Amino acid sequence: MATVLSRRALNRATLARQFLLERVDLPIVELVTRLGGLQAQTTHTWYVALQNRLRSPDPHEMGRLLTEGALVRMSLMRSTLHLVTPQEARWLRGTTGEVMARDLENSSHGKATAGLDRSAVLDMARKILEEEPLTPKLLGERLAERWPGVPGPHLSYVVRCLLPVVQVPPRGVWGASGPPALAPADTWTGLPMDAEPDRERLVLRYLAAYGPASVQDIQAWSGSTRLKSVVEGLRDRLVSFHTEQDERPEGGRRPARPVELFDLPHAPRPGSDLYPDLHADTPAPVRFLYDFDNILRAHADRTRVISDEARRRIAVRNGMPPSTVLLDGSVAATWKVNHIRPTRSSTHTPSLEVAPFRTLTGSETEEIVEEGRRLLGFLSPGQGGREVRIHDPA
């Protein structure tokens, strides 16, 4: 009978793999690779992932790597922008191509272009973008000259989903700004983007960064479907567990059955002889997560890091969730940076606003203030005061 893993054990296993139990000294490129990429659809908030995980984070170094092409931002898992290395981009783009194509078909853009020769659209888009990177708006306008009956946004979305493209700097570079200009991924990176799909590699890479996990978890992170057969084909190379029996009744139905979880044999996990210092009760420090941090979007069942109640608290309709705070490994507050208006006796300095979901203990308050000041020092170095304001729980 498979070993049962508690939610707390799953929490600590995932935090360990995401370097949220202890900061590390790793090259940025290696960190990004081991995290399975960073969701990077915003221009800069994802830099906070460095501050969370590295002992000496340097956002300018990250920006330099992006400018020089050692890292790229392109749509991959779940058809969302991720920060990855060019080498990872090649096989990931080939593997998530089905996700991108499904995104197009399920959108109004797909319906509007269903009768077009999309191959011709992609050929022309490639020629245009090889001349110079363009924003989706400008690219759409150029393409609409050839297909005047189709609005430009529909045409540019075809390109976004079916032609491997990257968002080029200065977009996303720390301390810089620029339009979301696109370029063909192969010409930008110098690597061909025609790699065959490698769904086994996708599963293994995911488990290394987020396991133990179910098939549904892997599919939720990647956006891919029909991965059960892939996992079954890897079963001899994996170990399996079960979740706890869920004793919470749902609409009078009987309790949910335990879910089978899969993992790499030698991955960090409470109960593993290879990691004797990792336990379900291993202390988890306060961490300030950015709005789209990986750990909050990597599982179908997210209760290992955020309760159903907390998830309802941060639910938004505009698709832009608040940034959150981990307390004892779980989401227990939101945070945002405000700027104090300068007066005759003060300068323009930032402050950090924290809204907890419950009453905090004295030690929790102290740890939040300390970690918050560290975050402010990262976001606004050399700007003097680092005030952390903790509001009363709602």
Side-chain angles (χ1 to χ4, degrees):
M1 185 175 179
T3 301
V4 173
L5 290 178
S6 68
R7 280 198 181 92
R8 194 171 177 87
L10 291 174
N11 174 273
R12 294 310 194 255
T14 307
L15 292 179
R17 298 173 205 207
Q18 286 288 304
F19 305 104
L20 290 170
L21 287 180
E22 183 179 3
R23 288 183 170 94
V24 294
D25 291 316
L26 284 177
I28 290 175
V29 168
E30 182 179 347
L31 176 76
V32 171
T33 300
R34 291 177 63 176
L35 292 175
L38 289 180
Q39 186 163 338
Q41 65 195 74
T42 57
T43 53
H44 296 110
T45 63
W46 43 273
Y47 280 83
V48 172
L50 289 181
Q51 190 274 340
N52 277 328
R53 294 164 167 92
L54 294 178
R55 291 195 181 98
S56 301
D58 184 353
H60 297 289
E61 173 69 5
M62 174 82 89
R64 182 187 67 78
L65 293 169
L66 192 61
T67 301
E68 295 179 356
L71 294 169
V72 295
R73 293 168 69 231
M74 67 185 302
S75 295
L76 296 165
M77 288 73 73
R78 305 183 302 285
S79 191
T80 55
L81 271 174
H82 278 72
L83 180 81
V84 295
T85 67
Q87 294 77 15
E88 293 283 288
R90 186 185 179 211
W91 73 266
L92 279 170
R93 186 58 178 81
T95 307
T96 59
E98 61 169 335
V99 180
M100 303 291 295
R102 188 172 64 251
D103 179 7
L104 174 63
E105 296 305 330
N106 291 339
S107 69
S108 59
H109 308 292
K111 295 177 177 64
T113 58
L116 285 184
D117 181 351
R118 291 174 177 168
S119 295
V121 174
L122 299 181
D123 288 343
M124 177 165 284
R126 169 177 281 282
K127 291 177 182 178
I128 293 172
L129 294 178
E130 284 178 343
E131 294 176 359
E132 62 172 330
L134 292 176
T135 65
K137 181 178 184 298
L138 291 176
L139 174 62
E141 291 174 355
R142 291 281 300 275
L143 292 171
E145 295 173 3
R146 168 66 176 79
W147 290 274
V150 184
H154 295 320
L155 295 168
S156 62
Y157 206 79
V158 169
V159 177
R160 175 205 180 274
C161 290
L162 302 185
L163 181 68
V165 291
V166 298
Q167 274 198 14
V168 300
R171 185 75 169 183
V173 174
W174 186 260
S177 62
L182 306 177
D186 52 2
T187 58
W188 181 259
T189 65
L191 295 175
M193 290 289 154
D194 59 351
E196 290 296 318
D198 194 340
R199 288 155 66 85
E200 287 192 354
R201 188 175 183 181
L202 183 78
V203 169
L204 296 174
R205 179 55 53 84
Y206 169 83
L207 291 176
Y210 301 104
S214 68
V215 173
Q216 291 77 17
D217 290 329
I218 306 170
Q219 293 181 161
W221 168 78
S222 64
S224 299
T225 58
R226 306 180 307 279
L227 288 180
K228 183 176 181 179
S229 61
V230 179
V231 174
E232 287 297 334
L234 290 168
R235 186 177 284 273
D236 289 346
R237 298 166 59 182
L238 304 175
V239 290
S240 65
F241 307 90
H242 278 104
T243 59
E244 294 176 304
Q245 182 84 6
D246 191 346
E247 297 179 353
R248 297 171 300 171
E250 297 182 22
R253 295 177 296 177
R254 65 181 182 178
R257 293 180 179 178
V259 175
E260 186 174 20
L261 306 173
F262 299 90
D263 203 7
L264 305 179
H266 304 299
R269 187 175 52 251
S272 169
D273 294 338
L274 297 175
Y275 298 90
D277 296 329
L278 181 60
H279 306 280
D281 58 356
T282 294
V286 167
R287 289 293 183 263
F288 285 78
L289 303 181
Y290 71 101
D291 41 10
F292 291 100
D293 195 283
N294 297 9
I295 201 171
L296 296 179
R297 278 156 185 82
H299 303 89
D301 180 359
R302 303 179 189 177
T303 55
R304 70 177 69 190
V305 290
I306 181 170
S307 68
D308 292 336
E309 179 185 357
R311 193 170 175 181
R312 285 191 291 270
R313 280 176 173 265
I314 67 171
V316 291
R317 294 183 178 181
N318 63 2
M320 296 299 295
S323 300
T324 54
V325 182
L326 290 182
L327 281 176
D328 192 26
S330 297
V331 171
T334 61
W335 67 271
K336 64 179 179 179
V337 173
N338 288 329
H339 289 276
I340 304 171
R341 292 186 177 182
T343 65
R344 291 179 179 178
S345 60
S346 67
T347 58
H348 193 72
T349 59
S351 68
L352 190 66
E353 309 280 338
V354 178
F357 300 159
R358 58 171 174 79
T359 301
L360 304 176
T361 67
S363 61
E364 287 174 334
T365 299
E366 292 177 2
E367 192 176 0
I368 285 176
V369 170
E370 181 181 356
E371 186 67 21
R373 288 173 176 167
R374 179 183 180 123
L375 174 61
L376 284 173
F378 173 80
L379 295 174
S380 303
Q383 290 202 15
R386 299 177 183 177
E387 183 177 7
V388 179
R389 301 175 179 177
I390 301 178
H391 298 274
D392 292 332

